[in-house]
Amino acid sequence: MAKGRNRRLIHAAVTTQNIISIILLSLIAIVTLTFSIAILLRNAALRKENEAYRAQLDSIQEEGYYTVSETDEMVSQAYEGGYDLARQEVLDSVQKQLESGTGITTTVRSLFPDQILIAKDGRYYFIPIDRSLSLNSFTDTDFAKNSSGVLEYKGSNAAVLGTFGIDVSKFQGEIDWEKVADSGVEYAFIRVGNRGTSTGKIVEDEYFEANIKGAIDAGIEVGVYFYSSAVNDEEALEEAKFVLDAIKPYEVTYPVVIDVERPEGSDYRTQNVTQDQMTGIVRKFCDTVKDSGYTPMIYGNNETFALMLNMAEVEDIDKWVAFYNVPLYFPYEFSIWQYSASGKIDGIKGEVDFNICVQKGW
């Protein structure tokens, strides 16, 4: 009896295990079948998407679109064509300017708007414009000369003065200042003197006293200038003190100016002065003038301001720029523009410099 019961129990256990195994195998088969069906469905969907993309590409090609290689080729051709067109436009512009009588230097300058072009010693210098500094905001049409050769401001900025003035020295000889005043001159810069470009000796202008007295008596406001040949700060201080002593008896309402230029020829004492040294010389002169209660100013041309001086170091000082063509070619802010060295006016025999003052910060 016991053996029979044990056999039945063993048989029942085996049967149960078989059933469980069958169930597990069935579940695995169902999962596998489900996964296979999912893969088949996904493949079918991908085939449909692929067919849709292919149809879209066929449609694009039929509408005239291009392959990547075709597009690259067309871009290359367009670039070459654009380069040739731009080159031809530049050549046409140069030819047009030269045929109209525009000088070579002026023509070349128009091609480099971000640089100051200096023609010097048979070569060109290209100096980048420092756009972090205060810039000249006038346009080419803001100024025009009247029938007397006097430059007038034609722009719309009511803050611009546009006043007429001259600067004189011994080279103008005796001046009838009453006639000068009647001609509309509102201010005059009188040369106090100069330092010899080779000797280094300071000399007072022989007409200084006559000119400053005559101008003031005629009701013309005056400023003064000194032609500098200083080679160091000590000489700059000497020049400033010379000027300040000379103007003590007079009412000087316009700036006290240091005239900084490169002399003609090769025998001049400042030829080896570096830009940093010249900037220091100018600062010494101007700071001394300012400390004495006057307004300092720098006179010069494009070479002065682009090559001889560091503009960033003298930005706070008023500028008097010499340029004898209209429009003005000077990128930075300025107060006075000397636009002619051959002006004619009643009261002065021969030629005299003409100036226009656009702003007066003194």
Side-chain angles (χ1 to χ4, degrees), residues 27-298:
L27 289 173
I28 291 171
I30 292 170
V31 170
T32 302
L33 179 61
T34 302
F35 185 71
S36 298
I37 292 172
I39 291 175
L40 291 173
L41 292 174
R42 178 58 181 163
N43 287 339
L46 289 174
R47 281 197 298 273
K48 288 183 178 180
E49 290 180 6
N50 187 42
E51 291 173 358
Y53 288 141
R54 175 62 62 184
Q56 186 176 6
L57 287 173
D58 292 341
S59 174
I60 288 174
Q61 290 179 349
E62 289 175 0
E63 292 177 8
Y65 288 81
Y66 302 94
T67 65
V68 172
S69 60
E70 290 173 333
T71 301
D72 288 343
E73 177 65 22
M74 287 189 292
V75 168
S76 177
Q77 292 175 358
Y79 177 82
E80 292 176 1
Y83 175 82
D84 291 340
L85 179 60
R87 178 176 178 273
Q88 189 59 49
E89 287 178 349
V90 170
L91 292 175
D92 290 344
S93 174
V94 170
Q95 180 178 343
K96 183 177 180 180
Q97 290 187 67
L98 293 177
E99 288 178 343
S100 68
T102 303
I104 293 176
T105 299
T106 301
T107 300
V108 175
R109 281 171 173 164
S110 69
L111 303 177
F112 297 90
D114 294 323
Q115 300 178 76
I116 306 173
L117 176 62
I118 308 295
K120 171 188 171 186
D121 299 331
R123 59 173 291 188
Y124 289 112
Y125 293 82
F126 295 84
I127 314 300
I129 296 172
D130 187 347
R131 298 196 176 277
S132 68
L133 304 180
S134 298
L135 300 177
N136 174 5
S137 61
F138 294 106
T139 68
D140 289 353
T141 59
D142 277 343
F143 298 94
K145 290 183 179 180
N146 63 23
S147 58
S148 300
V150 175
L151 194 68
E152 297 176 341
Y153 175 65
K154 300 295 185 180
S156 58
N157 187 349
V160 176
L161 297 178
T163 51
F164 174 42
I166 60 174
D167 57 273
V168 299
S169 67
K170 67 177 184 179
F171 299 109
Q172 277 68 49
E174 292 185 8
I175 297 174
D176 186 333
W177 284 101
E178 293 296 335
K179 288 185 178 180
V180 170
D182 291 341
S183 298
V185 171
E186 298 185 44
Y187 58 91
F189 282 94
I190 314 298
R191 189 174 80 156
V192 177
N194 67 286
R195 185 189 290 274
T197 57
S198 58
T199 66
K201 182 181 179 181
I202 291 180
V203 180
E204 181 177 302
D205 188 291
E206 60 192 80
Y207 279 85
F208 165 66
E209 288 192 6
N211 281 334
I212 196 168
K213 288 177 181 177
I216 292 174
D217 289 345
I220 297 173
E221 292 193 79
V222 298
V224 297
Y225 71 97
F226 183 89
Y227 185 95
S228 175
S229 290
V231 296
N232 53 48
D233 290 3
E234 290 74 20
E235 289 190 351
L237 179 61
E238 181 186 14
E239 292 176 354
K241 288 182 176 180
F242 175 83
V243 172
L244 293 170
D245 287 342
I247 65 176
K248 277 181 181 179
Y250 308 105
E251 185 179 3
V252 176
T253 55
Y254 266 64
V256 174
V257 184
I258 180 171
D259 181 347
V260 182
E261 303 175 62
R262 184 175 72 98
E264 297 295 331
S266 58
D267 182 23
Y268 58 95
R269 63 198 308 268
T270 58
Q271 59 184 320
N272 294 320
V273 175
T274 67
Q275 185 186 72
D276 286 342
Q277 290 171 332
M278 185 59 72
T279 301
I281 288 168
V282 168
R283 278 240 67 109
K284 188 66 174 180
F285 182 99
C286 291
D287 289 345
T288 303
V289 167
K290 185 176 181 180
D291 290 343
S292 298
Y294 296 95
T295 299
M297 178 177 277
I298 307 167

